[in-house]
Amino acid sequence: MNEEQRKQQGQIKSELNIERIKNTSSDDMIAKYFQTNYELQAPDIKKARKRRNEEVQFNYDFSIPEDMQAIGKDKKFLIRTYGCQMNEHDTEVMAGIFTEMGYTATTEVTEADIILLNTCAIRENAENKVFGEIGHLKPLKLENPDLIIGVCGCMSQEESVVDRILKKHQHIDLIFGTHNIHRLPHLIKEAMFSKEMIVEVWSKEGDIIENLPKVRKGKIKAWVNIMYGCDKFCTYCIVPMTRGKERSRRPEDIIQEVRHLVAQGYKEVTLLGQNVNAYGKDFEDLDYTFGDLMNDIHKIDIPRVRFTTSHPRDFDDHLIDVLAQGGNLLDHIHLPVQSGSSEVLKKMNRKYTREEYLELVRKIREAIPNATLTTDIIVGFPNETDEQFEETMTLVEEVGFEAAYTFIYSPREGTPAARKKDDVPEEVKKQRLYRLNELVNKQAAESMLTYKGKTVKVLVEGESKKNPDILAGYTEKSKLVNFNGPKSAIGKIVEVKITKANTWSLNGEMIESKIEVN
Ligand code: SAM
Ligand code: SF4
């Protein structure tokens, strides 16, 4: 297509876009989508459970089609990211693809030619935020019909969400899911030249696409996906339906990525997966677990290695032994417990009891005496009794978590827990969350006090958000430290003497002679 044809097509597209937005969508149009591009599918746990034996395809051939390589010249993209690190990292991949297509990034919606909302489905309020944002973007689209607005990420994998967007938000141009990010160039092309909303959501359980470009946020810390999906099927959780089956990247691809990051000067990697310690369980030709991977990464010359999230059920003795070697394997472990009651854990399908969790904590502390533990907790699971909630409170004290992400249970369509009748009033759930947070904050503040007067190693990330004259970074145990020091320390690991402890951060003074040359 030559420039003139492109312009003409663009002109037609603008007019059609305006037409589409002005008219609320007709049922005919929606029906057409469902027949052609999108097959209506509610999250179906029975079907999802059957997928475990499906073979995973590895694809190493990603490239941007020739006609899309310069399509973004003089154009800008903006990606809003909601939810977990997995989504943040997917955004880095999409930013990489846009950059290879010639686009540059912007943070201003009014400057953007493409806006993507990379969404999270984990709780209802996360979804509400996205629908709020979709509404806010409508005037922009009316002003600039050539603007492409897309919705991707976990919400796009839900039938009810796609249905709602098709029916009520015709200013959206593009919906795609978590399994076809690598199709972004094709999808953008279709969205540019089609008169209709493009919906491409694969219910397929997912392959592994290697060699995708990435534009990482920062040059000091990096995320590295080691596996995708989840087969745990906790009864409250939508992730197994939105992210597909558990599938591990090949060890050599992960190790190569980490080595490449070292060569680029990165100082810290966080290995990512919904259940990192289920890594390797899906290999048919290889007996290689998460412990083995950590052992191999331990030998690489990168100062700091973290991982998230680990599941108590898969935390085996081999992994504990490997972590006990220390060195670059940091002794901060995020180990979501969800509840302190064995009965609730059973209803959640977590497959461990309170006692088993406590035994695991004991083993970890025996092997790694200074290990710091943090966790995730859900309060107000359907029919959780006062006594069961109190068991969560006592477990939090007993383990001495130094921080916790705490949530009120949110029913998710298609999950088994969402079908349960719930006799716990919302007000009671809120009070439980309040009490739990008070306890967690108290423990966090107490743990911070133990650092006063001590010297800690800090990976310096940059200037503090509140004061550019102050530097900020994290300790090995993920504590935020604000301190006085020279800008030359940014990107390095320095020693800082702690002078003040706050609930969620520490203040200190850098020990100048102790800048490590990395
Ligand atoms: N795979 C990780 C694990 O099992 O520990 C967690 C992944 S999930 C993105 C993060 C946290 O969200 C979970 O640990 C859980 O506490 C919380 N969560 C998941 N589904 C939820 C729901 N329906 N309502 C409230 N919190 C939920
Ligand atoms: Fe969700 Fe459970 Fe899988 Fe974590 S392990 S992602 S909570 S189903």
Side-chain angles (χ1 to χ4, degrees):
M1 196 184 311
N2 64 32
E3 199 53 28
E4 195 48 38
Q5 284 168 319
R6 233 184 248 287
K7 269 191 199 148
Q8 272 177 15
Q9 188 143 13
Q11 179 67 29
I12 297 166
K13 165 104 199 299
S14 296
E15 284 158 15
L16 287 165
N17 260 341
I18 300 236
E19 220 25 58
R20 193 184 80 203
I21 301 157
K22 278 188 194 153
N23 299 321
T24 43
S25 66
S26 70
D27 283 347
D28 285 357
M29 192 167 161
I30 291 166
K32 184 167 170 248
Y33 272 111
F34 289 141
Q35 278 160 23
T36 54
N37 298 343
Y38 181 72
E39 215 179 298
L40 257 175
Q41 259 179 353
D44 182 342
I45 194 161
K46 275 199 196 127
K47 209 169 147 207
R49 278 178 188 282
K50 285 191 194 140
R51 69 196 182 190
R52 286 186 183 140
N53 297 332
E54 279 171 30
E55 204 182 321
V56 175
Q57 301 291 330
F58 286 77
N59 181 340
Y60 289 84
D61 299 329
F62 176 83
S63 65
I64 310 274
E66 221 172 289
D67 61 338
M68 293 303 282
Q69 283 173 7
I71 199 104
K73 191 171 171 290
D74 302 325
K75 292 199 181 119
K76 296 193 172 162
F77 73 92
L78 184 155
I79 309 175
R80 285 247 152 94
T81 314
Y82 302 80
C84 65
Q85 295 95 332
M86 212 73 69
N87 268 15
E88 295 269 357
H89 191 42
D90 284 349
T91 290
E92 293 183 335
V93 171
M94 292 190 282
I97 296 176
F98 276 126
T99 306
E100 290 210 347
M101 287 159 69
Y103 286 90
T104 51
T106 177
T107 52
E108 296 295 324
V109 279
T110 47
E111 282 185 358
D113 298 280
I114 297 188
I115 299 174
L116 290 186
L117 305 181
N118 187 7
T119 62
C120 169
I122 203 88
R123 281 171 292 277
E124 196 185 355
N125 56 4
E127 295 203 354
N128 290 343
K129 267 194 217 158
V130 171
F131 276 112
E133 186 61 18
I134 288 176
H136 287 146
L137 293 175
K138 188 169 178 179
L140 269 183
K141 177 77 184 180
L142 286 170
E143 235 170 72
N144 173 14
D146 289 334
L147 169 68
I148 292 176
I149 307 178
V151 176
C152 57
C154 288
M155 277 171 69
S156 307
Q157 294 289 143
E158 291 181 278
E159 172 225 354
S160 57
V161 169
V162 177
D163 193 22
R164 182 165 161 189
I165 295 175
L166 281 165
K167 285 200 173 111
K168 299 201 178 141
H169 302 285
Q170 274 291 309
H171 61 290
I172 297 299
D173 301 272
L174 171 63
I175 306 175
F176 62 100
T178 56
H179 300 304
N180 48 347
I181 287 176
H182 60 290
R183 296 249 317 134
L184 192 57
H186 303 271
L187 295 170
I188 296 291
K189 187 175 170 179
E190 283 182 46
M192 275 178 166
F193 300 116
S194 159
K195 62 181 174 36
E196 293 169 352
M197 196 190 295
I198 304 297
V199 184
E200 188 182 280
V201 180
W202 293 354
S203 58
K204 180 179 161 87
E205 295 313 342
D207 296 335
I208 293 188
I209 318 291
E210 290 292 344
N211 301 333
L212 289 171
K214 296 175 189 90
V215 172
R216 295 183 190 270
K217 203 169 146 196
K219 304 233 165 291
I220 301 167
K221 302 199 297 191
W223 284 305
V224 175
N225 264 128
I226 64 164
M227 61 182 301
Y228 304 94
C230 180
D231 283 343
K232 289 286 180 285
F233 296 104
C234 301
T235 53
Y236 50 82
C237 186
I238 192 77
V239 170
M241 271 75 82
T242 59
R243 289 268 167 188
K245 75 172 197 160
E246 271 175 14
R247 52 207 192 277
S248 307
R249 288 178 71 197
R250 303 295 296 184
E252 57 275 19
D253 293 332
I254 298 169
I255 287 166
Q256 190 192 40
E257 186 173 341
V258 176
R259 285 194 195 287
H260 190 59
L261 289 165
V262 174
Q264 290 174 282
Y266 282 88
K267 298 291 186 299
E268 180 176 309
V269 290
T270 301
L271 307 181
L272 280 186
Q274 289 301 344
N275 274 306
V276 282
N277 43 359
Y279 176 80
K281 290 191 163 185
D282 55 320
F283 290 145
E284 283 177 6
D285 58 335
L286 206 60
D287 186 11
Y288 189 88
T289 63
F290 184 54
D292 298 323
L293 180 69
M294 287 302 271
N295 204 28
D296 281 340
I297 293 181
H298 173 62
K299 295 173 198 148
I300 298 179
D301 189 18
I302 179 128
R304 291 182 169 194
V305 181
R306 301 184 192 275
F307 56 90
T308 196
T309 302
S310 53
H311 192 295
R313 184 176 150 199
D314 290 324
F315 217 107
D316 58 27
D317 292 349
H318 176 47
L319 176 60
I320 296 177
D321 289 344
V322 170
L323 293 179
Q325 298 173 86
N328 60 0
L329 308 181
L330 301 185
D331 55 3
H332 166 213
I333 298 170
H334 187 68
L335 193 62
V337 66
Q338 313 299 357
S339 167
S341 151
S342 295
E343 286 151 35
V344 175
L345 288 169
K346 189 156 191 233
K347 287 187 189 164
M348 288 177 163
N349 192 32
R350 290 292 289 183
K351 302 255 170 68
Y352 54 84
T353 61
R354 174 193 176 98
E355 291 69 31
E356 283 162 348
Y357 185 90
L358 288 172
E359 173 57 15
L360 174 59
V361 169
R362 190 198 61 72
K363 275 205 243 169
I364 292 174
R365 290 233 160 99
E366 189 178 65
I368 316 165
N370 290 324
T372 299
L373 290 171
T374 55
T375 199
D376 291 354
I377 298 171
I378 297 175
V379 300
F381 188 74
N383 309 314
E384 180 191 57
T385 64
D386 283 338
E387 292 72 28
Q388 289 166 340
F389 170 68
E390 294 306 328
E391 287 186 82
T392 296
M393 295 289 278
T394 55
L395 182 118
V396 169
E397 276 181 298
E398 207 170 324
V399 177
F401 292 117
E402 294 193 3
Y405 294 107
T406 56
F407 311 101
I408 290 185
Y409 165 73
S410 171
R412 305 283 64 213
E413 191 196 338
T415 61
R419 290 194 288 273
K420 292 268 178 284
K421 273 208 171 132
D422 188 0
D423 64 7
V424 189
E426 207 48 39
E427 205 37 53
V428 171
K429 296 188 184 200
K430 283 189 188 152
Q431 279 166 13
R432 287 181 188 164
L433 183 69
Y434 181 81
R435 277 191 55 210
L436 176 61
N437 285 345
E438 293 246 289
L439 177 61
V440 170
N441 291 355
K442 179 173 143 284
Q443 290 185 186
E446 281 167 4
S447 79
M448 289 303 211
L449 275 179
T450 63
Y451 289 99
K452 218 172 149 196
K454 291 206 176 124
T455 298
V456 289
K457 287 189 174 178
V458 177
L459 173 55
V460 190
E461 292 190 14
E463 294 164 0
S464 142
K465 279 187 196 137
K466 289 188 193 144
N467 180 352
D469 294 333
I470 300 281
L471 296 180
Y474 285 85
T475 69
E476 292 176 343
K477 290 172 180 293
S478 304
K479 310 286 186 203
L480 173 63
V481 183
N482 294 303
F483 63 100
N484 289 310
K487 300 268 190 280
S488 58
I490 294 173
K492 304 211 167 83
I493 294 173
V494 302
E495 292 202 338
V496 176
K497 180 144 191 219
I498 301 304
T499 51
K500 184 168 179 249
N502 313 302
T503 306
W504 298 113
S505 66
L506 300 164
N507 298 358
E509 297 290 336
M510 190 176 124
I511 303 172
E512 295 262 353
S513 58
K514 291 284 178 63
I515 294 188
E516 276 181 23
V517 184
N518 283 302

